[in-house]
Amino acid sequence: MGRRLLLFDMDGVVIEGHGTDPAVHDHALEDAIAEADLAVDSETRSLLAGYEYDTDFVRGCKRLGIDPVEFYGRRERHSASRAIERLKSGHRTPYPDSDALDELADDCNLGLVSNNYDAVTTFVVDHYGLDAFDYVCGREPGVSGFYRRKPDPHYLLTGRDALGGVGGIYVGDRATDVLAATRAGLNAVFVRRAHNSDVSLPHEPVAEIESLTELPTLLRGSLDGL
């Protein structure tokens, strides 16, 4: 029998913080505007603000006469660069219980699969020496990556196939993680931390934990065989 497959979300599970600070995307928008040498009025700027690729963003780009897909990708690349710079400054660090990953790697194929940008996810693993992961994947910047975010199972399925493990489990901290795991044919384990202590889940995970240190015992007990 092959090694067990154990995939993890990154933000809020392995590193502190629910996700990238919205200010990163605000500053990245300014970077993209300056790079494209655009003159943008306040109303149009408000349409472009935020993280989502939505109808407002498209409307803002149309008002400027620019391709929304190209400009969204440009802004996202700046977001990734700025997120990495914030990480370099020590703005976010791994949770203390991430030490449990080394023990888990003795018996499982470990993967890190995140909605965060691939460059950011790779940087986190390299910068903090998270060597337990056999596979690391974030989403590509741009519209295609935006639409492949969880709860779409695309990146989970890619990770599952790349690692080729058995008894797949995905550890996350959001309802979308649980749903994505279900759609990918994986069992979901939900981590309760300060930022999601009162979140209700539309789908039942196979287990809820408060620390990654609980996982080795669970895998030897109630999750054995999953």
Side-chain angles (χ1 to χ4, degrees):
M1 184 175 180
R3 284 162 60 86
R4 302 178 74 174
L5 174 62
L6 190 55
L7 301 177
F8 291 82
D9 183 28
M10 184 177 76
D11 299 299
V13 175
V14 175
I15 65 168
E16 296 174 341
H18 194 40
T20 301
D21 192 313
V24 167
H25 304 302
D26 294 338
H27 292 308
L29 174 60
E30 300 304 321
D31 294 337
I33 288 172
E35 184 179 63
D37 195 24
L38 298 170
V40 183
D41 61 75
S42 59
E43 183 179 351
T44 303
R45 191 181 301 268
S46 69
L47 293 173
L48 300 173
Y51 169 74
E52 304 282 327
Y53 182 79
D54 54 18
T55 54
D56 280 347
F57 187 89
V58 173
R59 283 174 55 214
C61 290
K62 295 300 184 184
R63 290 179 63 161
L64 294 170
I66 59 176
D67 178 10
V69 173
E70 188 281 330
F71 189 69
Y72 187 77
R74 184 192 297 262
R75 198 228 64 196
E76 291 238 288
R77 288 188 290 274
H78 283 293
S79 286
S81 295
R82 282 191 171 270
I84 289 171
E85 289 305 311
R86 285 172 70 88
L87 286 162
K88 287 179 180 177
S89 70
H91 184 68
R92 302 172 65 194
T93 57
Y95 285 104
D97 60 8
S98 64
D99 289 346
L101 296 170
D102 292 328
E103 179 181 352
L104 292 164
D106 291 338
D107 301 309
C108 303
N109 291 336
L110 266 56
L112 187 67
V113 181
S114 174
N115 273 353
N116 211 323
Y117 305 112
D118 189 61
V120 176
T121 307
T122 300
F123 174 82
V124 166
V125 169
D126 292 343
H127 186 66
Y128 292 112
L130 302 176
D131 301 327
F133 290 113
D134 304 297
Y135 176 84
V136 178
C137 179
R139 73 173 183 85
E140 66 267 33
V143 174
S144 61
F146 177 80
Y147 284 120
R148 287 172 170 172
R149 296 172 306 152
K150 296 168 291 182
D152 189 293
H154 173 82
Y155 292 111
L156 287 179
L157 290 170
T158 302
R160 183 199 66 183
D161 293 345
L163 288 172
V166 296
I169 293 171
Y170 185 56
V171 183
D173 68 320
R174 305 184 191 218
T176 51
D177 293 327
V178 177
L179 181 54
T182 301
R183 289 175 174 176
L186 302 171
N187 294 291
V189 171
F190 192 77
V191 183
R192 293 276 181 189
R193 299 200 188 272
H195 65 269
N196 67 351
S197 59
D198 59 352
V199 169
S200 59
L201 299 174
H203 298 271
E204 188 76 18
V206 295
E208 293 193 19
I209 58 177
E210 294 182 356
S211 171
L212 300 183
T213 59
E214 298 174 45
L215 281 171
T217 300
L218 280 173
L219 291 172
R220 291 191 295 267
S222 61
L223 300 186
D224 186 33
L226 292 181

